[in-house]
């Protein structure tokens, strides 16, 4: 299998705090990798680093064999990595359709002149953007389409906001999609449904998926491989059963009552 | 939406005394402030209704009426008790007015006793004279009953049947507007001259006729018909709406083309000025309203446009320009101006665009001043003539007709062409890939970047488009005025353009048009007179008051942009969705309703 993402000895510190320390990590094309770890383990920071929002202090990130270090977030997205945010960050006052249209920016190229002269190319591209947007939104059934298309994102329920975040990431046509706690705040029925959709992201859409998740049922059901982080270091990796039975992992989650209280 | 507030009846003197004290105090303060700002004296010579009413007195009378009305105003809330409207409202209004009148009376007595003319210029016998109607000091007391009566009328508006209240307001406004805008009205439709005496004072008889006409209009249901037409337009969708909109645009264009033909110089000049500021405001609207970049130094691009055109067309430009430097006709200079403005936009934009929010605002403020000071400086005196400016900018010659300051009509037509162009540009860009990227950047810059938008590039694009539109305005301004001085580009211009955009409605093209018409047309630009010429001295005061009032009452602007309304009124919007049964419970929609995709 092709190595899509290869991370070597990645470190970052905020002041004195080592959020990530000498992290090695890799993703192969077509994999679904679950990232778990207690709160504050550095999982979100890890995503921020891949997507270029935080600069690492040391280490290397290779995507399809090329380094991502020093690229701006938009360049990373252009290369084919999209992400969602743990604390949902939609464009709340833009409509649902606009949210998904705007994230196709880096895959389209009509400039101001096309718009001013209303050229054929411009019209075709607009139609294409709209078609893509509706296709991506259709991935979630009828929840985000119909009259909803023209509603602002701020009227959506929490679960639908999470879905729209995923749709927005999908619309950038990535190779690798990073999901930060996609089912947080959903009820068991909704998260079971989304679990199915995550598999489909790979099977039908051909995306490779890295997913941070606290819900172990979801992690078990979709992950080909699980990586556990703690204090910015890899504690264990392997199949879900291997990792969940690893004593170090169990200790990280359960075994430090004194520190947890602190 | 109907609310079912529970109504209780209260006695006429069972008032909310705290509210009375608060509003009464405000009225008194307001009246004293107006008196000491010199409005009554300054505006007394402007007679509105022959022999009976001067603008000076109007400046003292309106406040009690409005405050009296406010006294009786109550927001009906679901499940809360409210008071049934009764004579209590009139009594409340009267009390508020009386307190206001008391304030004026005390001011009169104080003016008579102490001399504070040193710090307060209008602490003067003239002010006292107005307050006493030319009589003895004791007469000031009549302000108490006068204001009380006005307050009572204001309060009583709540009691009257809605039609009567509407008719009263319509009558008052019609008479006042006809009187205040006398010069303008006669300038547009000269036959209406008969309404006024020779000093443009409305004749009492005609004032009464106008009031009657207004009342008749309201009672014949004219207002409702207007509202119905508007609602119809609002509710149509699809191709029918497109057709109606197109018709509306054609009609407005025709009206705009015809008015300057029939109207006189004053109107033409006014329309030209509105157009020049509209161009500026449209440009700033792209920068601030669409891309969310708070640019406080926007006047810089206006200046660059003006100076570039002047330098390229005038024989009186500085002496240090090399001999080969061309002198071009206006339209040739315009091409160069656009290029120069874009380059300056890039040059200023590149360093500041990486900053965010307040920092960016401060830095652009600085750049705005730097550009003006450069034009003023000794260092570049050989190029721009410093404070003397560049004079003798020739008219814009198009062969068929010439655009020059002495012919405001030609200026207006030129401005109209460019305004139409700018509106088209704004409209097309708003609904394009670039426009959506601007929206996203305005909403959340870091997320926009993570979604693949090169935020630096799109923000620079906004800056450059804004600069180009401002340079159009500058080029026309140069041809219109015929000379360009650094003092035409004070920071005040930036502020006024920003106020136009804010008051009109950020991000809304129609709003910006409304803002320019209301602010520049009625109040006037930084140096250009508006319809209310009498108020030009108090222009900034009124601008400020208007801005504060808008921020409190209608922060989304006169004709708001949808997105911005959503942002400022999210709760109400959610309520609305809930009432329409479109509340999002997160459940799958039944296929019938949501399945169809346009
Ligand atoms: N920008 C920042 N500045 C300073 N400290 C930060 C910053 N971002 C993250 N941290 C710190 O780095 C550590 C890791 O945070 P991170 O958000 O990556 O945790 P996480 O594993 O995603 O936790 P959770 O499961 O709660 O989402 C935390 O201690 C956090 O406080
Ligand atoms: Mg996290």
């Amino acid at each position: 299998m092709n190595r899509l993402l290869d991370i070597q000895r990645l470190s970052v510190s905020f002041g004195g705090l080592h959020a990530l320390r000498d992290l090695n990590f890799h993703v192969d094309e077509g994999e679904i990798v679950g990232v778990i770890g207690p709160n504050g383990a550095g999982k979100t920071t890890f995503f921020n680093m891949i997507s270029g929002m935080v600069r690492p202090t040391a280490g290397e990130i290779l995507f399809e064999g090329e380094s991502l270090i020093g690229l701006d977030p938009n360049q990373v997205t252009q290369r084919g990595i999209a992400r969602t945010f743990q604390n949902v960050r939609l464009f709340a006052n833009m409509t649902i359709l606009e949210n998904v249209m705007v994230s196709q920016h880096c895959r389209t190229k009509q400039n101001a002149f096309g718009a001013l002269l209303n050229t054929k190319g411009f019209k075709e591209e607009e139609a294409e953007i709209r078609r893509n947007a509706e296709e991506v939104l259709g991935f979630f059934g009828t929840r985000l389409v119909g009259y909803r298309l023209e509603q602002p994102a701020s009227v959506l329920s929490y679960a639908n906001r999470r879905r729209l975040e995923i749709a927005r990431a999908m619309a950038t046509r990535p190779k690798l999609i990073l999901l930060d706690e996609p089912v947080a705040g959903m009820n068991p029925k909704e998260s079971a449904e989304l679990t199915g959709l995550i598999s489909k992201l790979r099977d039908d859409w051909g995306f490779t998926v890295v997913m941070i998740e606290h819900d172990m049922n979801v992690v078990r059901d979709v992950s080909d491989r699980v990586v556990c982080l703690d204090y910015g270091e890899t504690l264990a990796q392997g199949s879900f059963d291997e990792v969940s039975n690893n004593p170090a992992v169990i200790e990280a989650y359960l075994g430090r009552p004194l520190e947890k209280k602190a | 939406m109907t609310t079912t507030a529970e109504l209780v009846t209260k006695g006429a003197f069972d008032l909310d005394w705290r509210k009375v004290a608060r509003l009464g105090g405000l009225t008194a303060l307001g009246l004293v402030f107006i008196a000491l700002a010199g409005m009554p004296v300054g505006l007394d010579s402007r007679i509105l209704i022959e022999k009976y009413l001067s603008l000076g007195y109007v400046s003292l009378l309106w406040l009690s009426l409005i405050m009296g009305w406010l006294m009786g105003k109550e927001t009906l809330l679901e499940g809360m008790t409210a008071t049934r409207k009764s004579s209590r409202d009139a009594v409340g209004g009267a009390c508020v007015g009386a307190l206001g009148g008391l304030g004026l009376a005390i001011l009169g007595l104080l003016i008579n006793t102490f001399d504070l003319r040193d710090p307060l210029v209008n602490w003067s016998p003239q002010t006292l004279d107005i307050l006493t109607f030319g009589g003895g000091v004791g007469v000031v007391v009549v302000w108490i009953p006068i204001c009380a009566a006005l307050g009572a009328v204001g309060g009583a508006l709540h009691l009257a049947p809605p039609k009567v209240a509407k008719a009263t307001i319509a009558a008052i406004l019609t008479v006042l507007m006809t009187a205040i805008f006398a010069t303008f009205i006669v300038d547009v439709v000269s036959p209406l001259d008969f309404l006024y005496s020779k000093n443009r004072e409305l004749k009492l008889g005609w004032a009464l006729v106008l009031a009657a006409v207004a009342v008749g209009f309201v009672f014949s249901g004219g207002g409702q018909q207007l509202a119905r037409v508007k609602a119809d337009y609002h509710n149509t969708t699809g191709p029918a709406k497109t057709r109606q909109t197109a018709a509306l645009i054609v009609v407005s264009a025709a009206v705009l083309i015809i008015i300057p033909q029939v109207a006189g110089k004053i109107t033409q000049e006014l329309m030209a000025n509105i157009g020049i500021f509209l161009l500026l405001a449209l440009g700033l609207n792209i920068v601030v309203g669409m891309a969310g970049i708070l640019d406080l130094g926007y006047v810089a691009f206006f200046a660059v446009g003006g100076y570039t055109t002047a330098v390229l067309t005038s024989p009186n430009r500085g002496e240090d320009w090399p001999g080969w430097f061309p002198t071009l006709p206006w339209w040739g200079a315009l091409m160069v101006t656009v290029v120069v403005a874009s380059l300056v936009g890039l040059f200023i934009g590149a360093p500041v665009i990486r900053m965010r929010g307040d920092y960016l605002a401060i830095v652009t403020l600085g750049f705005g001043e730097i550009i003006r000071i450069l034009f003023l400086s000794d260092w570049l005196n050989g190029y721009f003539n410093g404070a003397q400016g560049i004079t003798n900018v020739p008219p814009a010659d198009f062969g068929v007709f010439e655009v020059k300051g002495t012919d405001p009509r030609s200026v207006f037509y030129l401005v109209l062409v460019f305004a139409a162009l700018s509106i088209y540009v704004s409209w097309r860009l708003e609904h394009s890939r670039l426009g959506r990227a601007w929206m996203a950047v305005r909403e959340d810059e870091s997320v926009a970047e993570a979604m693949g938008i090169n935020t630096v590039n799109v923000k620079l694009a906004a800056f450059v488009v804004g600069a180009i539109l401002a340079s159009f305005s500058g080029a026309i301004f140069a041809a219109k005025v015929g000379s360009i001085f650094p003092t035409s580009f004070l920071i005040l211009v930036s502020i006024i353009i920003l106020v136009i955009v804010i008051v009109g409605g950020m991000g809304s093209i129609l709003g910006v048009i409304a803002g320019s018409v209301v602010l520049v047309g009625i109040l006037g630009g930084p140096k250009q007179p508006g319809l209310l010429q009498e108020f030009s001295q108090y222009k900034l005061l009124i601008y400020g008051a208007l801005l504060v009032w808008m921020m409190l009452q209608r922060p989304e602007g006169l004709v708001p942009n949808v997105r911005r309304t959503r942002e400022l009124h999210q709760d109400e919007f959610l309520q609305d969705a809930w009432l329409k049964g479109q509340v999002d419970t997160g459940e799958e929609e039944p296929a019938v309703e949501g399945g169809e995709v346009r």
Side-chain angles (χ1 to χ4, degrees), chain B residues 289-313:
Chain B
M290 297 194 193
I293 309 166
L294 185 52
D295 180 355
L296 295 182
Y298 190 64
V299 68
F301 304 121
F302 185 41
V304 167
Y307 265 99
T308 314
T309 308
V311 160
L312 284 166
T313 54

Side-chain angles (χ1 to χ4, degrees), chain A residues 7-8 12 21 42-43 46 49 58 69 72 75 77 84 92 97 101 109 115 128 134 146 198 218 232 238 241 251 254:
Chain A
I7 289 174
Q8 295 151 3
V12 70
R21 219 178 310 191
K43 305 180 297 294
F46 173 58
M49 207 113 44
I69 304 290
D72 288 333
Q75 292 168 316
T77 310
T84 66
L97 186 65
M101 285 171 90
K109 54 183 184 300
E128 173 75 18
E134 284 175 4
I198 291 172
V218 178
D241 290 330
E251 192 198 292
L254 306 171

Side-chain angles (χ1 to χ4, degrees), chain B residues 254-561:
Chain B
V255 169
L256 283 178
I257 292 174
I258 293 168
I259 289 185
Q261 294 292 343
V262 295
K265 277 252 158 69
I266 299 175
T267 316
Q268 295 166 354
E269 175 79 25
L270 196 75
M271 291 172 81
N273 284 336
I274 294 177
I276 285 182
F277 279 88
L278 172 62
L279 272 178
L280 288 169
L282 282 168
L284 188 64
N285 182 48
I286 288 184
V287 181
V288 184
M290 297 194 193
I293 309 166
L294 185 52
D295 180 355
L296 295 182
Y298 190 64
V299 68
F301 304 121
F302 185 41
V304 167
Y307 265 99
T308 314
T309 308
V311 160
L312 284 166
T313 54
S314 164
N316 278 15
R317 63 185 179 216
E319 281 151 15
D320 289 359
W321 293 100
W324 52 264
F325 197 79
T327 305
L328 300 171
W330 185 83
W331 54 267
L334 180 73
M335 314 264 170
V336 184
T337 302
V338 168
V339 175
V340 172
S342 335
L343 290 179
V344 174
L346 279 178
F347 180 77
I348 297 184
V352 306
I353 221 80
R354 278 159 232 271
M355 283 173 239
R356 290 185 187 188
D358 311 350
Y359 301 101
L360 188 138
I362 302 287
V363 173
T364 50
L365 189 70
F367 268 106
E369 273 299 84
I370 288 172
I371 295 276
R372 182 179 67 84
I373 290 169
L374 277 181
F375 286 129
L376 183 63
S377 67
D378 283 342
W379 176 50
L380 295 175
N381 195 16
Y383 295 96
F384 302 115
N385 293 345
Q388 273 91 50
I390 302 176
T391 49
N392 270 346
V393 180
D397 190 350
F398 291 94
V400 204
F401 73 96
E402 260 193 354
V403 173
K404 52 175 184 269
T406 46
D407 179 11
R409 180 168 17 169
S410 61
V411 179
F412 172 72
Y413 285 133
L414 184 63
V415 158
L416 189 64
V417 170
F418 280 93
L421 181 71
S422 305
I423 290 171
Y424 177 77
V425 168
S426 307
W427 170 68
R428 289 299 306 176
L429 289 185
E430 188 181 0
H431 300 282
S432 74
R433 171 172 174 263
L434 186 58
R436 282 191 298 267
W438 285 338
M439 272 187 246
V441 167
R442 201 178 80 86
E443 292 268 320
D444 189 332
E445 204 171 325
S446 26
V447 176
E449 200 174 6
M451 289 303 131
I453 295 168
N454 186 334
T455 51
V456 172
N457 281 0
V458 295
K459 283 164 75 182
L460 265 183
F463 230 72
V464 170
V465 175
I468 291 177
L469 298 196
S471 74
F472 287 162
S473 192
I476 298 174
F477 183 75
K480 172 178 185 281
V481 181
S483 47
I484 287 287
F485 308 103
T487 46
S488 309
F489 306 108
L490 295 178
I491 237 170
L492 182 64
V493 181
S494 291
I495 295 172
I496 286 185
I497 305 167
L498 188 63
V499 174
I500 293 177
V501 174
I502 292 174
V503 167
M506 271 207 219
S508 146
I509 300 172
L510 274 183
V512 171
I513 299 175
S516 321
V517 172
V518 169
L519 289 176
V520 181
I522 297 182
L523 287 174
K527 287 186 177 165
Q528 298 73 3
L531 282 180
L532 293 178
Q533 278 167 13
E534 295 85 1
F535 287 96
S536 54
Q537 221 184 324
Y538 314 103
K539 193 150 50 190
L540 292 183
L541 181 69
I542 300 176
Y543 264 110
L546 189 66
L547 195 59
V548 171
W549 181 79
M550 285 292 289
M551 288 301 101
L552 292 174
Q553 296 297 322
R554 214 180 145 84
E556 67 274 26
L558 291 174
V559 187
N561 169 286

Side-chain angles (χ1 to χ4, degrees), chain B residues 54-76:
Chain B
S54 81
L55 194 54
Y57 281 104
V58 170
S59 73
L60 288 174
L61 294 174
W62 62 279
L63 192 60
S64 309
L65 197 68
I66 290 184
M67 288 298 191
W69 179 78
L70 275 183
M71 180 64 212
K73 192 169 175 263
E74 226 175 349
T75 323
L76 292 180

Side-chain angles (χ1 to χ4, degrees), chain B residues 60-243:
Chain B
L60 288 174
L61 294 174
W62 62 279
L63 192 60
S64 309
L65 197 68
I66 290 184
M67 288 298 191
W69 179 78
L70 275 183
M71 180 64 212
K73 192 169 175 263
E74 226 175 349
T75 323
L76 292 180
L77 285 178
E78 188 86 35
M80 303 282 278
T81 53
T83 322
R84 186 164 285 124
K85 297 292 160 213
S86 67
S87 51
R88 175 176 176 271
D89 293 303
V91 175
C95 292
V96 168
L99 281 178
L102 184 66
L104 268 191
I106 293 176
L107 177 71
L109 295 178
L110 288 178
I111 292 182
N112 192 41
T113 335
F114 303 102
D115 183 11
L116 289 182
R117 265 195 105 154
D118 190 9
L120 300 167
V121 192
N122 291 303
W123 190 275
S124 58
Q126 287 88 330
T127 306
L128 187 61
D129 208 41
I130 298 268
L131 289 182
T132 56
F133 301 91
V137 191
V139 186
V140 285
V141 204
V142 302
W143 281 102
I144 300 178
I146 293 180
C147 291
L150 284 168
V153 172
L157 283 178
H158 292 286
L159 300 178
K163 267 206 170 160
V164 177
K166 260 190 208 146
T168 319
I169 295 169
I172 295 179
L173 284 182
T174 313
V175 172
L176 274 185
M177 294 293 155
T178 324
I180 292 177
F181 296 142
T183 336
F184 175 69
I185 291 175
V186 174
D187 193 63
V188 180
V189 195
S190 41
L192 285 179
D193 209 10
F194 65 84
L195 292 174
Y196 307 97
S197 73
K198 64 177 183 306
N199 290 334
R200 299 268 181 270
E201 299 161 7
L202 189 60
K203 291 178 183 154
L204 183 64
W206 286 113
L208 295 178
V209 172
L210 281 173
V213 169
V215 171
F217 179 76
V218 171
F219 273 94
S220 66
Q224 279 161 4
Q225 251 158 33
L226 275 183
R228 201 169 317 125
V229 170
K230 211 174 132 197
D232 276 352
Y233 173 71
H234 209 77
N235 290 334
T236 39
T237 45
K241 175 116 181 181
T242 321
R243 228 174 305 126

